[in-house]
Each structure stands twice: as C-alpha cells, then as structure tokens.
Amino acid sequence: MSDHPIEAQLVLLAGTHASVPLDRLPGLLEGAQRYVADHRTEYERRYERIEGARDADYFCVETGYWASVGEELGYGRREWEAVRRAHEAQFERDGRRLDREGEFESTLELREVVAVDATR
C-alpha cells in the first residue's frame, strides 16, 4: 500500500512523461503527500474541494502551486512536474468515473489540483 492516493498505472505514466526515474517517483509522491496532509486544514479553509470517485478528495489550487511546493520540498523541475502530472491524471480519471469529465478538464484549464487521501 502506498502513502499517496495516486493509482500505480498513473504513477508510471506521470514519471514517463516527466522523465523521472520510475523508482524515484513513489518517494516523491509520498513526500508531497506528507506535505499535503500537513496543510489539509489550510486547503479546507482556502480552496474549493471536489470529492473524488475513490479514496481521494481534490483541492483546486492556484496555477504554479506545485512549482512552489516542489521548491519547498527541494524537488527539481522534472520532479515536481511529475508530481503535478500524477495528481492531474488521478483527477481526470476520477472525472471519467464520475461522468464529469468535461467539468474536471475545465477545472485543469484554470487551476492545478491536489489529491489528498480521504481515508486519513
């Protein structure tokens, strides 16, 4: 069991698209998830929340969010881009599962998303 809400297939795709070694990405996602978990109260106060189809909630954050979080976590550009891509891919997959694909895609045109494990 992983410590992040991103499905394994999406982790592989995100790592491939961002040119991050696949053995490195799970650790990056887990580090990002610890950061996200520590800031959940702030997200709940500040950002729109969208319930996912699985065990994830999504918060719609400003564009550039993952770049700033990545910098804070010491991630390079490819690393934080892989994390961002993984969160977006999970969001899009849940949009299809909920038959809200258009709405979820429109959200990504305006904002970035943060997937938070809803079971914790």
Side-chain angles (χ1 to χ4, degrees):
M1 185 83 181
S2 63
D3 278 338
H4 58 78
I6 313 299
E7 295 174 47
Q9 179 186 23
L10 300 176
V11 171
L12 293 173
L13 291 171
T16 301
H17 287 135
S19 301
V20 171
L22 297 180
D23 62 340
R24 177 106 170 88
L25 190 51
L28 296 170
L29 287 166
E30 289 169 6
Q33 196 58 211
R34 283 189 299 273
Y35 179 92
V36 165
D38 289 346
H39 292 84
R40 184 175 181 127
T41 302
E42 176 187 344
Y43 298 145
E44 290 172 349
R45 276 193 321 258
R46 192 169 169 201
Y47 300 112
E48 175 187 4
R49 183 176 78 70
I50 297 175
E51 189 174 322
R54 310 173 33 258
D55 293 333
D57 288 331
Y58 299 95
F59 291 93
C60 302
V61 297
E62 63 276 355
T63 301
Y65 174 84
W66 281 114
S68 63
V69 169
E71 184 177 317
E72 192 169 330
L73 294 174
Y75 293 1
R77 183 185 58 79
R78 288 184 180 178
E79 294 170 328
W80 65 256
E81 282 183 352
V83 170
R84 179 186 52 79
R85 286 176 190 267
H87 282 248
E88 287 178 357
Q90 189 64 60
F91 183 70
E92 290 174 321
R93 181 168 282 180
D94 274 1
R96 288 188 295 277
R97 287 182 176 141
L98 293 167
D99 197 27
R100 295 170 59 190
E101 187 173 3
E103 176 187 341
F104 280 39
E105 286 177 359
S106 293
T107 296
L108 290 175
E109 291 174 10
L110 303 171
R111 298 178 272 181
E112 293 181 5
V113 294
V114 173
V116 179
D117 189 332
T119 64
R120 296 178 199 257

